[in-house]
């Protein structure tokens, strides 16, 4: 499109940023909190433990005050399942209820709308020992957890996200530290997609419950969406891109929105004897769930070419790295894109392509729940001059503005992350935040907070409702 004259962002556009409990809070076994899968996993070599992180658990008032100074309209954070229910089911921990009540109330004191993620990579360890998502009872475990949240926080929380990046839990679970395969499993793919099925049903039932208990609230999924390009204009590469788009992206949104499995994915599962078993009522439950909006995390696009049946490929990789499935598709390094210091491709134009495709498929309002640049930041004289992060964010907000101009219903933008935190498998050295935290993977520092240049820049962006993306900004 020409986009000669950009339309204004909506007046109620939700500018903010995101975190997750296990990556930012610390205090991972304090005040009655039980262990999650993240607390018992073997940490990647050289990365910080999760007992301190950014110490947001103790410093949330200071941090939310800084977010308010930036002008946040919303703050996306997750609630740790085991902080509310230490064993995943059973007794509720009042200290956990009190903590999140305080977090929510502090946000509201500053007119910041809480955007709550219900599950962000932190299955209770006690439930992992009972079979994790492999156990059909996991659906009821999650719905009960949702009920506790709705009962205690639903009078103030208007926006809910169900499961963060369910597609990554399915596709790269070992990297995240979440996948539990029962001993004796012979068809791992079938097992993984059975667990995925239980998550899909749990999400659907949680959405129905939200609408029943909180008729004025809105709820939606939060997958990681990367539009997939074909490596060439060869027809077979285009078909491979369609297949990977379905497996990586559309399975999760087709189910959330329409309550049915994507046909290409179902064919893929049939060909690999991996179709999930439906329990009684599953089909009806999934069709009854109607999300009010779609949250999605975007970091980059993917590019693939046709894979031969005998290709030896890495099916794992990480969230944004090239993957492959023999006979279907294999990752291809896009020569037209630059990469971050951590090897992730940078594609602002692909951000627009992703939003266009999602809106044309689902026609629901959308909010960006993650988007950001992980980098090695350096603190110098109390400042971090992260012009590289500003450039990244500017390029993506420009495309977001084009999406608004193209009449795509965009609700908000919450980049990753509000504050430095521990990245999933690369530690705190991979920094994303607008706020620098004085700590490292090697040792806990003072934990003092410092405003990066991007802090002041984003403050200006919010103040102008996305109109002024120039390099100029005021430093106090």
């Amino acid at each position: 499109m020409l986009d000669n004259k950009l339309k204004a962002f909506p007046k109620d556009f939700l500018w903010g940023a995101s975190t997750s409990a296990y990556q930012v809070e610390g205090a991972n076994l304090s005040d009655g909190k039980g262990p999650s899968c993240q607390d018992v996993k073997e940490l990647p070599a050289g990365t910080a433990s999760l007992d301190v992180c950014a110490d947001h658990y103790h410093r949330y008032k200071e941090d939310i005050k800084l977010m308010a100074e930036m002008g946040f309209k919303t703050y996306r954070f997750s609630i740790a399942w085991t902080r509310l229910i230490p064993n995943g089911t059973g007794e509720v921990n009042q200290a956990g209820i009190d903590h999140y009540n305080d977090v929510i109330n502090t946000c509201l004191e500053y007119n910041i709308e809480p955007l709550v993620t219900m599950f962000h990579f932190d299955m209770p360890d006690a439930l992992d020992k009972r079979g994790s998502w492999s156990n059909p009872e996991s659906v009821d475990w999650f719905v009960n957890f949702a009920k506790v949240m709705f009962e205690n926080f639903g009078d103030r929380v208007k926006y809910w996200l169900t499961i963060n990046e369910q597609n990554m839990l399915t596709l790269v679970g070992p990297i995240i530290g979440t996948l539990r395969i029962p001993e004796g499993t012979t068809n791992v793919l079938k097992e993984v997609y059975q667990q995925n099925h239980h998550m899909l049903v749990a999400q659907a039932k949680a959405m129905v419950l939200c609408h029943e208990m909180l008729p004025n609230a809105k709820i939606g999924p939060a997958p990681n969406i990367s539009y997939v390009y074909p490596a060439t204009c060869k027809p077979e590469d285009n078909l491979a891109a369609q297949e990977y788009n379905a497996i990586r992206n559309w399975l999760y949104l087709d189910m959330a929105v329409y309550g049915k499995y994507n046909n290409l994915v179902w064919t893929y599962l049939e060909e690999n004897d991996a179709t999930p078993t439906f329990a009684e009522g599953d089909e009806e439950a999934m069709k009854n769930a109607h999300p009010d909006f779609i949250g999605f995390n975007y970091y980059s696009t993917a590019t693939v070419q046709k894979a031969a049946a005998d290709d030896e490929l890495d099916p794992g990789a990480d969230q944004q790295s090239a993957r492959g499935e023999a006979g279907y598709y294999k990752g291809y390094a896009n020569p037209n894109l630059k990469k971050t210091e951590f090897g992730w491709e940078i594609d602002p134009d692909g951000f627009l392509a992703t939003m266009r495709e999602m809106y044309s498929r689902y026609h629901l309002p959308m909010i960006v729940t993650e988007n950001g640049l992980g980098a090695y930041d350096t603190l110098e004289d109390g400042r971090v001059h992260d012009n590289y992060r500003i450039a990244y964010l500017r390029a993506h907000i420009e495309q977001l503005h084009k999406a608004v101009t193209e009449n795509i219903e965009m609700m908000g933008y919450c980049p990753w992350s509000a504050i430095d935190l521990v990245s999933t498998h690369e530690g705190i050295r991979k920094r994303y935040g607008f706020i620098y935290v004085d700590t490292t993977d090697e040792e806990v520092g003072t934990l003092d907070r410092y405003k990066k240049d991007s802090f002041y820049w984003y403050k200006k962006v919010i103040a102008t409702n996305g109109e002024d993306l120039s390099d100029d900004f005021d430093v106090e």
Side-chain angles (χ1 to χ4, degrees):
M1 308 300 287
L2 294 176
D3 293 330
N4 289 327
K5 186 176 181 180
L6 294 173
K7 297 178 181 177
F9 280 95
K11 291 181 179 179
D12 57 354
F13 193 76
L14 295 171
W15 297 99
S18 301
T19 65
S20 87
Y22 88 88
Q23 294 172 275
V24 76
E25 285 183 352
N28 60 332
L29 298 174
S30 300
D31 293 341
K33 180 182 178 295
S36 77
C37 61
Q38 300 295 340
D39 300 315
V40 301
K41 74 177 184 182
E42 181 179 350
L43 293 171
T47 63
S49 67
L50 303 177
D51 55 344
V52 177
C53 299
D55 199 31
H56 186 61
Y57 181 78
H58 296 110
R59 298 173 182 240
Y60 65 89
K61 288 184 181 293
E62 173 187 359
D63 294 338
I64 294 171
K65 183 178 180 181
L66 287 167
M67 296 176 203
E69 183 181 335
M70 266 191 282
F72 279 22
K73 310 302 181 186
T74 190
Y75 171 37
R76 180 208 174 199
F77 61 92
S78 73
I79 289 177
W81 191 335
T82 56
R83 202 176 290 286
L84 291 196
I85 311 173
N87 291 313
T89 60
E91 185 178 356
V92 174
N93 175 31
Q94 188 60 45
I97 299 291
D98 293 343
H99 171 73
Y100 289 114
N101 270 325
D102 286 345
V103 171
I104 291 165
N105 291 338
T106 302
C107 286
L108 294 175
E109 287 172 12
Y110 290 106
N111 296 314
I112 296 173
E113 200 72 59
L115 174 58
V116 173
T117 308
M118 299 164 65
F119 181 77
H120 197 125
F121 297 169
D122 53 358
M123 190 70 164
D125 181 54
L127 297 185
D128 273 345
K129 292 175 179 175
R130 292 167 62 183
S132 194
W133 290 108
S134 181
N135 188 333
E137 294 179 9
S138 59
V139 174
D140 293 331
W141 301 339
F142 184 77
V143 173
N144 175 69
F145 173 45
K147 183 172 183 287
V148 171
M149 286 186 283
F150 297 156
E151 286 176 339
N152 286 279
F153 312 127
D155 58 329
R156 285 151 294 149
V157 176
K158 298 178 183 178
Y159 297 102
W160 298 87
L161 297 163
T162 52
I163 298 175
N164 180 74
E165 295 191 350
Q166 182 180 333
N167 51 342
M168 297 299 100
L169 291 169
T170 299
L171 296 171
V172 295
I175 293 291
I176 299 169
T178 53
L179 183 63
R180 301 292 184 272
I181 298 296
E183 187 175 347
T185 298
T186 56
N187 186 335
V188 173
L189 188 70
K190 183 177 179 65
E191 170 61 28
V192 167
Y193 277 89
Q194 186 66 55
Q195 294 187 26
N196 180 67
H197 178 79
H198 293 152
M199 279 188 266
L200 291 171
V201 177
Q203 171 180 258
K205 290 189 173 183
M207 287 196 284
V208 170
L209 182 65
C210 180
H211 290 139
E212 290 175 352
M213 294 181 64
L214 309 173
N216 295 320
K218 296 183 184 300
I219 190 167
N224 177 314
I225 302 297
S226 291
Y227 188 69
V228 182
Y229 301 137
T232 71
C233 56
K234 293 178 181 178
E236 59 264 36
D237 287 348
N238 189 58
L239 292 174
Q242 288 181 331
E243 291 166 6
Y244 188 35
N245 263 313
I247 291 168
R248 191 197 189 284
N249 298 320
W250 312 140
L251 160 62
Y252 303 90
L253 290 176
D254 284 3
M255 182 57 76
V257 178
Y258 302 126
K260 60 190 297 184
Y261 273 89
N262 178 280
N263 62 294
L264 291 179
V265 176
W266 194 257
T267 302
Y268 161 72
L269 296 176
E270 286 177 329
E271 291 173 348
N272 290 277
D273 189 26
T275 56
T277 299
F278 278 59
E280 184 177 355
D282 282 1
E283 185 173 3
E284 180 183 5
M286 291 187 290
K287 287 184 177 179
N288 286 339
H290 302 290
D292 302 289
F293 64 92
I294 294 172
F296 72 102
N297 302 348
Y298 174 86
Y299 290 94
S300 186
T301 48
T303 305
V304 299
Q305 55 188 328
K306 176 67 176 177
D310 58 354
D311 278 347
E312 293 186 8
L313 304 168
D314 177 8
D318 68 12
Q319 297 98 312
Q320 303 302 141
S321 299
R323 300 181 67 255
E325 296 268 357
Y328 297 95
Y329 59 88
K330 58 182 176 182
Y332 181 88
N334 191 329
N336 303 295
L337 302 178
K338 295 180 180 179
K339 293 185 177 181
T340 72
E341 292 177 301
F342 288 85
W344 288 10
E345 292 175 340
I346 301 172
D347 188 5
D349 290 333
F351 186 31
L352 179 58
T354 299
M355 289 183 282
R356 284 176 169 180
E357 186 67 16
M358 289 174 65
Y359 194 67
S360 70
R361 292 179 67 93
Y362 306 110
H363 295 285
L364 283 174
M366 300 188 295
I367 183 168
V368 181
T369 42
E370 290 182 29
N371 170 239
L373 178 70
Y376 294 106
D377 290 345
T378 302
L379 183 67
E380 298 175 350
D381 299 324
R383 293 279 299 281
V384 174
H385 301 297
D386 56 342
N387 59 304
Y388 41 87
R389 181 167 293 110
I390 292 171
Y392 177 98
L393 294 170
R394 176 193 298 112
H396 286 79
I397 294 172
E398 286 173 347
Q399 299 303 317
L400 178 62
H401 204 165
K402 290 180 181 179
V404 170
T405 300
E406 294 174 2
N407 301 301
I408 296 173
E409 295 177 85
M410 297 305 302
M411 296 166 50
Y413 179 67
C414 294
W416 189 263
S417 56
I419 185 170
D420 286 346
L421 39 67
V422 178
S423 288
T424 302
H425 59 283
E426 289 166 309
I428 203 161
R429 62 174 56 87
K430 187 181 186 183
R431 296 178 183 267
Y432 282 92
F434 294 107
I435 301 164
Y436 183 93
V437 179
D438 181 27
T439 191
T440 67
D441 287 308
E442 290 70 35
E443 61 180 355
V444 177
T446 65
L447 298 170
D448 289 344
R449 274 59 170 150
Y450 296 89
K451 303 168 189 175
K452 302 179 187 180
D453 284 357
S454 58
F455 176 105
Y456 297 105
W457 178 83
Y458 194 46
K459 177 181 179 180
K460 179 201 65 175
V461 171
I462 295 174
T464 63
N465 199 26
E467 293 299 321
D468 187 354
L469 304 181
S470 67
D471 283 327
D472 298 330
F473 53 86
D474 295 326
V475 177
E476 298 172 1

